[in-house]
Amino acid sequence: MFQRIARAPICDIAYASQSERQKVDICLPRKKGGTDVVFFIHGGGWSAGDKSLHRDACIKYAKQGYAAAAMNYRFINPDLPPERQSATCADMLDDIGNAIAAVKARMIEEGYTPRKMAVGGCSAGGHLTMLYAYSRGARAAIPIAFLFPDVGPTDFTDPAYLDMPVRLARDLAPRLAGRADFDPLAMSPLHYAAPGAPPTLLRYGALDELVPLSQGTLLQAALEAAGVRSDLLVYPNSGHGLDGNADAALNARYDAKLREYFDTYF
């Protein structure tokens, strides 16, 4: 049942001190006690974007009785060579773990008991969502119930991704790793798809020129081989923004599937 109102967002909670970007926002429901959490990681090519992109979604979920949070994380600099990066993919994963711990601590302080957590993000945020959950999720401060990432890179060895017109995989991956001689599998969520991984609801656009559809189909196959539930919705007329006019009807189907995940895993 919708509560119609929620508490005012609690903004810019610091979860670490290495960077001004290490902040997280929380929206809490009116009713205190045991509460499930919806957690967002923003996109932006690992070098741009802000947690405010998810403010409306956080407020919406708080009105539905969930706690909701959105975080910022440290960026790479696409203009600097790999060895001069001040943050790497590993640092971003550290940021996610610390932000989740900060959300749990603040919820307890405010009179809530975190139960389970759903994590979502778009593009780079989807990549970090999956990479954290599959490789480090077992030690998250709040248990991860399921994931709902959109258009996230999953495999930095996929030829279709390496040969995209916009060469994110070739140009940004070494910077994301912080070294030119990096292991692409170490940053690939697909590499960590294994039994016990969280159920994952995926969306990809068939016309995406940044992250190809193969990133979704390859991950879904790996998850299914590991015995992990994975649902993939393909938007046949959409690019990276999943906003093709001919695909608008698919949003209702996605909303219904996402609600099924909430009802099943929370």
Side-chain angles (χ1 to χ4, degrees), residues 45-58:
W46 305 279
S47 61
D50 189 81
K51 54 187 169 56
S52 61
L53 294 170
H54 297 291
R55 178 68 53 80
D56 289 346
C58 286

Side-chain angles (χ1 to χ4, degrees), residues 70-84:
M71 67 172 292
N72 282 347
Y73 49 90
R74 286 172 285 176
F75 285 155
I76 61 168
N77 185 333
D79 297 323
L80 293 178
E83 293 76 12
R84 292 182 57 195

Side-chain angles (χ1 to χ4, degrees), residues 181-252:
D181 60 339
F182 70 100
D183 177 5
L185 288 177
M187 297 191 306
S188 299
L190 182 147
H191 179 62
Y192 301 96
T200 304
L201 174 60
L202 301 162
R203 284 197 293 184
Y204 288 85
L207 305 182
D208 195 332
E209 294 187 348
L210 294 178
V211 179
L213 173 58
S214 60
Q215 295 284 283
T217 57
L218 287 169
L219 177 66
Q220 183 184 41
L223 290 171
E224 289 183 348
V228 177
R229 178 181 177 181
S230 176
D231 290 276
L232 171 62
L233 273 71
V234 177
Y235 282 51
N237 304 289
S238 292
H240 200 59
L242 300 176
D243 53 4
N245 290 334
D247 291 336
L250 288 173
N251 290 329

Side-chain angles (χ1 to χ4, degrees), residues 107-126:
M107 286 181 64
I108 292 172
E109 180 182 326
E110 297 284 339
Y112 301 82
T113 301
R115 292 187 299 217
K116 297 178 183 178
M117 177 173 62
V119 188
C122 180
S123 192

